[in-house]
Amino acid sequence: MSVNKEILKLVKYGREAGLIDALDEIYVRNCILDQLKIDEFEEEDITGEEINLPNILDALMDDAYARGVMASDDIVSRDLFDTRLMNAMVDRPSLVNKKFWDLYKENPIAATDWFYKFSQDTNYIRRDRLAKDRKWKVDSPYGVIDITINLSKPEKDPKAIAAAKNAPQSAYPKCQLCIENEGYAGRMNHPARQTHRIIKIEVDNNQWGFQYSPYGYYNEHCIVFNGQHTPMKIEKKTFAKLFDFVKQFNHYFLGSNADLPIVGGSILSHDHFQGGHYTFAMEKAEMEKTFTIPGFEDVTAGIVHWPLSVIRLQGKDTDRIIECADHILGKWRGYTDEEAYIFAETNGEPHNTITPIARRNGDFYELDLTLRNNITTEECPLGLYHPHAQYHNIKKENIGLIEVMGLAVLPARLKKEMDLMAECLVEGKPLSTYEELAKHEAWLAQVQEKHADINKENATAILEEEIGQVFVKVLEDAGVYKCDAAGREAFDRFVATL
């Protein structure tokens, strides 16, 4: 392997991706040489050589590790190092913002298209890892549900875990959403963000940031976050902020995780939303029934046919939708229905909140209000309206915004476990052959009972279907009002209070 050739190929990649132009080549090459601690360079012919970014970076890191320039060869160390290499070709934030807003003046879609491609070209979003994600769809009574096993977030090996544990602790940046992440070199317990660029936008008359998620759970998965490190809070202003963004980028939806543990997202300490250019099953779901809320006759309101309990508001005047949503939020925060096991609070701890999602739909604006409750019981210590224990072999984690809308984000462990389960089913091996399959034993027995003929050709498809149906059950668990007669009657009791 010729290091000179790999450097030239990396620079050529930058040219072809539009990250740099001809005048930048020598400068960029010297920046890369500096990171690699190489003092000499000779031109070589790379005509006909394949320009594959992950392969180029891997080759340069293998060489850097062999020469002792890169101290460790674990996944985290490699991510930190290749981000430094790529940063040599990434424009400063001011130039990135100028390009974005110049394009925005022509067409907001052109601006987001460019920024999304740019975020991938810089390797901030790693295309090679996204390509490894396992995705499929399943039919359900509520529409076609998306299932994904996301593999773009690398699992740390034991060496990296130990290194992160022993790394000096730092409170800078305060969290992974803070604006101070832009350009941050990272460390063993904080990801490299040197190639990370943030578009500065105004939301509700305050500075916010707009970026894409490096883990891309769906198309153009974006994050919109407060410029200040301030906690999540669902309130009237939340609805105003969502619509403020949607009006600026009306080809995107934007939603917020709830603001309470169990039913909230993984980061409650920093006010942020998630959105993107994708149509989820929840958006396609129709309203089972509509109703009129006194004082808001100009806003269409209805119960959505969805496993979670969703009230959809629709209208042309976002101010009126916001007022109506605030009215519903206020009622729900204080609502108790003992018969339906819904308690506004117990021992002073609040339980009721909302997961809201805003979008433009033709000539109308829509706001979906998902009613959430985080109460726990002895039988369900992780949450009554949370995946129940019988499904924890597939999904144990919180049901956050993305799952609420109908996209399962399943743990990476399932990819290997699915392959092993298929092997056991086809070859007749006992599950005890593999320790990690013990948790699936009861569930897999049901699968075998349901499908008489499982063979090499259909085993994976059967497992995908059955895992997808488990996720549908998990969504039903998360619904405070079930989609049966008793559940809809209880839902109507709440609607009557509005």
Side-chain angles (χ1 to χ4, degrees), residues 109-138:
I109 295 176
T112 54
D113 282 352
W114 170 79
F115 187 46
Y116 188 58
K117 181 179 180 297
F118 170 84
S119 298
Q120 295 174 84
D121 289 341
T122 62
N123 213 36
Y124 169 69
I125 298 174
R126 296 174 183 258
R127 288 187 178 104
D128 59 314
R129 290 184 184 165
L130 289 182
K132 293 175 184 174
D133 289 351
R134 197 159 176 170
K135 298 181 179 182
W136 66 94
K137 296 175 184 286
V138 296

Side-chain angles (χ1 to χ4, degrees), residues 14 52 224 272:
N52 179 295
V224 181
H272 72 285

Side-chain angles (χ1 to χ4, degrees), residues 144-287:
V144 179
I145 304 295
D146 290 302
I147 312 293
T148 177
I149 299 175
N150 191 277
L151 304 168
S152 54
K153 194 171 187 176
E155 292 196 63
K156 296 177 181 178
D157 59 35
K159 261 198 308 185
I161 292 169
K165 185 180 178 183
N166 297 327
Q169 295 302 303
S170 170
Y172 179 86
K174 288 180 182 175
C175 78
Q176 290 188 28
L177 287 177
C178 282
I179 210 158
E180 289 81 9
N181 281 278
E182 189 171 42
Y184 186 64
R187 51 186 192 268
M188 291 305 293
N189 53 13
H190 194 102
R193 290 293 180 254
Q194 284 163 313
T195 56
H196 177 37
R197 297 295 179 266
I198 298 166
I199 301 302
K200 311 306 187 295
I201 64 172
E202 194 173 280
V203 175
D204 193 38
N205 298 314
N206 289 296
Q207 190 192 72
W208 280 55
F210 166 70
Q211 67 178 63
Y212 289 106
S213 166
Y215 309 122
Y217 294 134
Y218 50 85
N219 185 49
E220 295 178 47
H221 178 184
C222 70
I223 301 171
V224 181
F225 59 97
N226 199 316
Q228 301 297 317
H229 183 76
T230 186
M232 299 272 294
K233 188 177 182 184
I234 301 296
E235 58 184 348
K236 183 180 180 180
K237 274 193 168 185
T238 304
F239 310 135
K241 291 168 187 172
L242 293 175
F243 278 125
D244 194 356
F245 177 85
V246 168
K247 284 181 176 180
Q248 294 178 65
F249 301 93
N250 60 29
H251 57 298
Y252 275 14
F253 77 88
L254 194 67
S256 174
N257 266 306
D259 55 354
L260 293 178
I262 298 175
V263 295
S266 57
I267 302 178
L268 295 177
S269 62
H270 196 126
D271 194 15
H272 72 285
F273 307 132
Q274 295 182 78
H277 200 182
Y278 190 72
T279 303
F280 290 87
M282 181 180 177
E283 180 180 340
K284 296 176 188 174
E286 296 185 357
M287 288 187 274

Side-chain angles (χ1 to χ4, degrees), residues 345-403:
E345 57 89 21
T346 54
N347 301 318
E349 181 189 347
H351 295 304
N352 290 347
T353 185
I354 278 176
T355 300
I357 302 107
R359 68 180 76 89
R360 177 80 180 263
N361 188 350
D363 294 332
F364 295 91
Y365 288 99
E366 289 180 349
L367 185 64
D368 284 350
L369 303 174
T370 310
L371 307 180
R372 312 299 301 274
N373 179 289
N374 76 345
I375 198 166
T376 59
T377 65
E378 282 187 21
E379 297 79 16
C380 299
L382 297 180
L384 178 59
Y385 305 109
H386 176 87
H388 288 181
Q390 70 198 85
Y391 305 126
H392 285 181
N393 61 310
I394 302 298
K395 176 71 176 177
K396 187 178 182 179
E397 299 78 13
N398 293 354
I399 298 301
L401 170 68
I402 295 168
E403 280 117 345

